[in-house]
Amino acid sequence: MWCYFRLVYMPMSYLYGKRFVALISPLILQLREELHTQPYNEINWKKVRHLCAKENLYFPHLLIQDLVWDSFTDPFLTRWPFNKLRKTALEITMKHIHYEDENSRYINIACVEKVLCMLACWVEDPYGDYFKKHLARLPDYIWIGEDGIKMQTSGSQLWDTSLGLEALLACKLTDKIGPTLLKGHDNLNKSQVRDNPSGDFRSMYRHICKGSWTFLDRDQGWQVSDCTAESLKCCLLLSVMPPEIVGGKIEPERLYDAINILLSLQVVKMVAYQPGSPQELPNGWRHVESTASAIDALVLFKKLHPGHWKQEIVNFIRKAAQYFENIQRPDGSWYGNWGICFTYATWFALRRLAAAGKTYHNCLIVCKAANFLLKLQPDDGDWGESYLSCLARKKKVTLSLCLVTPKFTPLEGNRSNLVQTAWTLMGLIHSGLAERDPTPLH
């Protein structure tokens, strides 16, 4: 099971298995009144347990799944001898929760997992050290806005730092922004993960992380493929600049560790957090964006360190480029998982295909992608895409899976968006279209 799912379901299953119910307070009564559309004590929970808004029902439950949940789990697992199995399962679940807490320094992978694991530790022992350590890392998520206290999903410090540095380096203003580059380089240097998870991490369903960069900071410890690739690229670019301006180079062995991470995460397509067989990884977990970032970093690494894992890197780039061709949609686009949506992924793909030497002049899939972007350009010259592109899908449910077909959706009124216009322009520039016909870019 994918890391995000696993780390939500673990504490949820623990709380459910313990039949945990908080003391009823005036605040809880107010929340019940605010959140539910009918009086709380009148809700038939058994009847509504499968109720879900159609907008959120991406993968409808199979009838056999509902029958197992309704007829087997509770009636049997609460009675002897099956309750012994539940007791053992709860102990194993808490062991995994503690392992995740310790190896993420109690930040956990994101905010939902954080609060659920913290609550599970409180239920286990409200005065224990596990719960107290959780409290110490709450400030990593909580911040005060103009309209009150908020909890962010997850920090994105390293992702922002790497992309920010790439943008600054592209400006070629080193003489004016030296101190900024120095601080950014120092941050990347200090933020690289130096060790793998503790103990027998594979038995705890963790992957190697030594040499990686995370989404937010080193403490959290969860390797992310594109964060690693973009941070590695920055370190490589800075390594050829004067050290008196940007600081000393990162040791080659640490760069090799980062390459090891990227190579280990390639399955058929690049995954974000952890590898697995193609059968274990649904399409949404293998990403055009992650694959594209890895190509860019590996091409640059191969240029600067030609003797290290040369053939493995060549094979990686070849398979990744083939993946782009295989996954490209008939209209020439790619579906984006981490941004909205087709413009985002198509920009990433074109940028990285250009790094591999594929442009409008020598590659059919680049021509198709550039033509896709050109067809979307309205009369005002800008581009815009609605978040509904991520949701507008035709569904075909079979016995074993739900097939989905994404659909591009423009902004209401065919409006434009500055960020998506920038993505599209960068994609077209990387495609080499400007050398053929610069009119759309102008």
Side-chain angles (χ1 to χ4, degrees):
M1 184 180 286
W2 195 37
C3 52
Y4 275 116
F5 296 170
R6 184 173 73 248
L7 295 174
V8 168
Y9 287 139
M10 280 197 312
M12 285 181 65
S13 62
Y14 180 83
L15 295 169
Y16 182 81
K18 295 288 285 188
R19 292 297 192 271
F20 168 70
V21 178
L23 293 175
I24 306 303
S25 66
L27 176 60
I28 288 180
L29 294 176
Q30 292 174 23
L31 288 171
R32 286 179 175 179
E33 184 177 353
E34 176 183 337
L35 294 173
H36 297 289
T37 58
Q38 64 185 99
Y40 183 85
N41 58 357
E42 296 179 8
I43 298 174
N44 184 336
W45 290 105
K46 186 174 182 180
K47 183 177 180 180
V48 302
R49 66 181 299 173
H50 304 301
L51 187 63
C52 183
K54 67 180 188 329
E55 293 84 359
N56 296 325
L57 194 61
Y58 283 90
F59 300 97
H61 294 169
L62 300 174
L63 177 60
I64 190 171
Q65 181 180 355
D66 289 342
L67 287 173
V68 169
W69 283 1
D70 293 342
S71 305
F72 174 76
T73 51
D74 271 1
F76 286 94
L77 293 179
T78 56
R79 293 175 173 83
W80 187 91
F82 299 104
N83 57 359
K84 302 290 185 181
L85 176 62
R86 169 165 281 181
K87 181 177 182 293
T88 301
L90 289 172
E91 292 171 354
I92 295 173
T93 300
M94 185 50 72
K95 176 183 175 183
H96 281 265
I97 290 172
H98 289 325
Y99 183 86
E100 163 61 15
D101 290 344
E102 291 288 337
N103 280 277
S104 66
R105 282 74 174 176
Y106 290 84
I107 298 176
N108 299 98
I109 199 168
C111 67
V112 174
E113 294 84 348
K114 162 70 178 175
V115 295
L116 287 174
C117 287
M118 183 171 68
L119 181 58
C121 289
W122 185 86
V123 171
E124 182 192 36
D125 182 0
Y127 303 103
D129 288 341
Y130 293 122
F131 176 65
K132 293 175 182 177
K133 291 177 181 178
H134 263 295
L135 290 176
R137 297 313 296 249
L138 277 177
D140 288 78
Y141 288 101
I142 292 178
W143 56 287
I144 304 296
E146 293 180 355
D147 54 348
I149 192 169
K150 300 170 185 276
M151 190 165 188
Q152 60 183 341
T153 303
S154 176
S156 58
Q157 297 94 304
L158 282 173
W159 179 246
D160 298 339
T161 299
S162 59
L163 293 186
L165 284 173
E166 286 185 43
L168 291 171
L169 289 168
C171 295
K172 301 186 184 302
L173 295 172
T174 306
D175 56 328
K176 299 182 183 298
I177 58 174
T180 301
L181 297 178
L182 176 63
K183 287 191 287 187
H185 193 195
D186 181 62
N187 178 266
L188 291 182
N189 185 9
K190 293 176 179 176
S191 298
Q192 187 182 22
V193 178
R194 306 295 178 87
D195 299 295
N196 287 319
S198 62
D200 182 12
F201 57 87
R202 297 190 188 280
S203 70
M204 306 304 285
Y205 305 99
R206 287 293 301 268
H207 187 57
I208 60 172
C209 61
K210 182 182 179 182
S212 69
W213 278 269
T214 71
F215 195 48
L216 55 159
D217 64 26
R218 177 176 167 179
D219 273 0
Q220 191 229 22
W222 271 95
Q223 73 286 344
V224 185
S225 57
D226 48 4
C227 294
T228 298
E230 300 294 349
S231 297
L232 173 62
K233 180 183 175 183
C234 284
C235 292
L236 292 170
L237 291 171
L238 291 163
S239 72
V240 298
M241 299 177 68
E244 61 270 18
I245 296 178
V246 300
K249 301 178 184 179
I250 291 181
E251 297 86 348
E253 290 74 18
R254 290 171 55 196
L255 300 179
Y256 300 160
D257 288 338
I259 295 298
N260 186 44
I261 284 285
L262 294 178
L263 295 178
S264 73
L265 288 171
Q266 188 182 43
V267 189
V268 176
K269 314 159 187 179
M270 196 70 185
V271 297
Y273 285 91
Q274 60 188 99
S277 70
Q279 291 74 28
E280 293 171 333
L281 295 170
N283 189 53
W285 301 351
R286 297 170 282 178
H287 308 115
V288 169
E289 304 98 303
S290 301
T291 307
S293 293
I295 288 178
D296 216 8
L298 289 171
V299 168
L300 182 57
F301 178 85
K302 180 172 171 286
K303 179 181 178 181
L304 298 178
H305 299 266
H308 186 74
W309 279 345
K310 179 179 179 180
Q311 192 56 49
E312 289 85 351
I313 292 174
V314 169
N315 291 339
F316 183 106
I317 295 171
R318 175 183 54 79
K319 289 192 290 185
Q322 183 62 48
Y323 159 63
F324 281 136
E325 183 174 349
N326 294 342
I327 204 68
Q328 187 179 35
R329 288 159 43 87
D331 62 6
S333 67
W334 286 272
Y335 180 83
N337 291 275
W338 299 104
I340 301 172
C341 170
F342 298 101
T343 49
Y344 181 72
T346 303
W347 157 53
F348 258 90
L350 286 173
R351 176 185 173 189
R352 275 42 182 196
L353 286 168
K358 298 183 181 296
T359 68
Y360 200 92
H361 307 288
N362 61 15
C363 181
L364 179 60
I365 63 173
V366 173
C367 294
K368 289 173 61 179
N371 290 335
F372 164 77
L373 295 175
L374 291 176
K375 290 177 183 177
L376 300 180
Q377 187 178 34
D379 294 337
D380 65 1
D382 295 333
W383 282 264
E385 182 179 4
S386 169
Y387 74 94
L388 293 172
S389 288
C390 307
L391 306 174
R393 301 178 172 196
K394 298 178 180 178
K395 299 181 182 179
K396 180 182 178 182
V397 182
T398 67
L399 182 62
S400 59
L401 75 165
C402 178
L403 303 176
V404 293
T405 304
K407 177 184 177 183
F408 175 85
T409 306
L411 286 170
E412 186 177 358
N414 217 23
R415 294 181 292 109
S416 60
N417 179 281
L418 176 64
V419 173
Q420 289 162 341
T421 298
W423 291 341
T424 306
L425 283 172
M426 287 190 287
L428 291 173
I429 290 169
H430 285 294
S431 75
L433 177 68
E435 301 168 17
R436 180 185 180 94
D437 180 13
T439 304
L441 279 71
H442 289 305

